[in-house]
Amino acid sequence: KQEVTQIPAALSVPEGENLVLNCSFTDSAIYNLQWFRQDPGKGLTSLLLIQSSQREQTSGRLNASLDKSSGRSTLYIAASQPGDSATYLCAVRVTGNQFYFGTGTSLTVIP
Amino acid sequence: KAGVTQTPRYLIKTRGQQVTLSCSPISGHRSVSWYQQTPGQGLQFLFEYFSETQRNKGNFPGRFSGRQFSNSRSEMNVSTLELGDSALYLCASTHGSGGSETQYFGPGTRLLVL
């Protein structure tokens, strides 16, 4: 069974700092990996999707990388802002349309 | 395009009752997935429907069931509610094919079982 882990569970940084969130998964047989953010009490917003054949994706200040063979992905956030405060989740898509989610990293950016 | 909508947004039930939650996907999306989110277990996959057929199922008891209608709207039902069913239930619709599927989530239904 696929297991997805995210480290750290919580992170607090001053505004302007660059940061890295980590995601690891146990089974490398994935179709894609997606990063989401979730604001308190809300649904999930898709940030980046990396297909299994890709190494990285970028959107604005966000860059996600994927190393399928080692079962790892990182989300890099440049020049963090208070509005980036949220919980960040990674999810891997396995066979069919089933997704396994990590436990999330709760990020607080201090003004 | 309107996003994924879920109704109701909040629900309070008592143990033993049953509940039905509704999800309307983004127009044109044919796949709808349901997830349960709790502080202890995180996000767990319940099931996925595509063209009115259940295509994938997670590891939940038979008290959790769902269906999808011809217009792609989906409902999930939980019978004989237990305290542990208190959670945020999220619905997601999927667009795309060939490994490029992006999931779009609704705001969720927060269920409290007393």
Side-chain angles (χ1 to χ4, degrees), chain B residues 50-77:
Chain B
F50 182 86
S51 293
E52 302 179 64
T53 301
Q54 187 181 88
R55 195 160 66 169
N56 290 289
K57 189 177 189 303
N59 199 24
F60 277 81
R63 299 185 298 107
F64 292 82
S65 63
R67 60 178 175 168
Q68 187 179 33
F69 302 94
S70 58
N71 62 357
S72 294
R73 189 177 70 85
S74 177
E75 289 181 346
M76 70 162 275
N77 183 274

Side-chain angles (χ1 to χ4, degrees), chain B residues 1-111:
Chain B
K1 258 186 186 176
V4 178
T5 58
Q6 291 187 246
T7 56
R9 294 292 312 278
Y10 304 92
L11 209 46
I12 300 175
K13 292 285 188 180
T14 56
R15 277 182 301 171
Q17 287 187 309
Q18 74 166 17
V19 67
T20 299
L21 312 181
S22 179
C23 171
S24 292
I26 292 172
S27 177
H29 290 196
R30 294 166 64 190
S31 169
V32 173
S33 299
W34 288 91
Y35 294 85
Q36 181 195 65
Q37 187 177 33
T38 59
Q41 299 294 320
L43 259 162
Q44 292 184 285
F45 174 78
L46 281 156
F47 29 66
E48 183 226 356
Y49 285 87
F50 182 86
S51 293
E52 302 179 64
T53 301
Q54 187 181 88
R55 195 160 66 169
N56 290 289
K57 189 177 189 303
N59 199 24
F60 277 81
R63 299 185 298 107
F64 292 82
S65 63
R67 60 178 175 168
Q68 187 179 33
F69 302 94
S70 58
N71 62 357
S72 294
R73 189 177 70 85
S74 177
E75 289 181 346
M76 70 162 275
N77 183 274
V78 187
S79 62
T80 319
L81 284 165
E82 301 177 359
L83 296 180
D85 297 334
S86 294
L88 181 65
Y89 289 88
L90 293 163
C91 156
S93 72
T94 306
H95 173 66
S97 61
S100 64
E101 288 80 355
T102 298
Q103 286 203 306
Y104 296 89
F105 280 80
T109 294
R110 187 164 295 280
L111 172 65

Side-chain angles (χ1 to χ4, degrees), chain A residues 1 31-32 34 36 38 41-46 49 51-52 89 93 95-99 101-103, chain B residues 9 31 33 35 37 43 45 48 55-58 88 90 94 98-103 105-107 110:
Chain A
K1 182 193 166 190
Y31 285 95
N32 62 43
Q34 199 165 354
F36 296 88
Q38 184 176 30
K42 302 281 181 64
L44 278 66
T45 301
S46 177
L49 180 146
Q51 296 186 41
S52 62
L89 296 142
R93 176 179 173 246
T95 184
N97 223 4
Q98 187 163 351
F99 290 76
F101 279 80
T103 46
Chain B
R9 294 292 312 278
S31 169
S33 299
Y35 294 85
Q37 187 177 33
L43 259 162
F45 174 78
E48 183 226 356
R55 195 160 66 169
N56 290 289
K57 189 177 189 303
L88 181 65
L90 293 163
T94 306
S100 64
E101 288 80 355
T102 298
Q103 286 203 306
F105 280 80
R110 187 164 295 280

Side-chain angles (χ1 to χ4, degrees), chain A residues 11 13-21 61 75-80:
Chain A
L11 185 61
V13 300
E15 181 177 1
E17 207 166 276
N18 302 325
L19 57 103
V20 174
L21 307 181
R61 294 182 294 109
L75 177 67
Y76 175 82
I77 302 177
S80 58

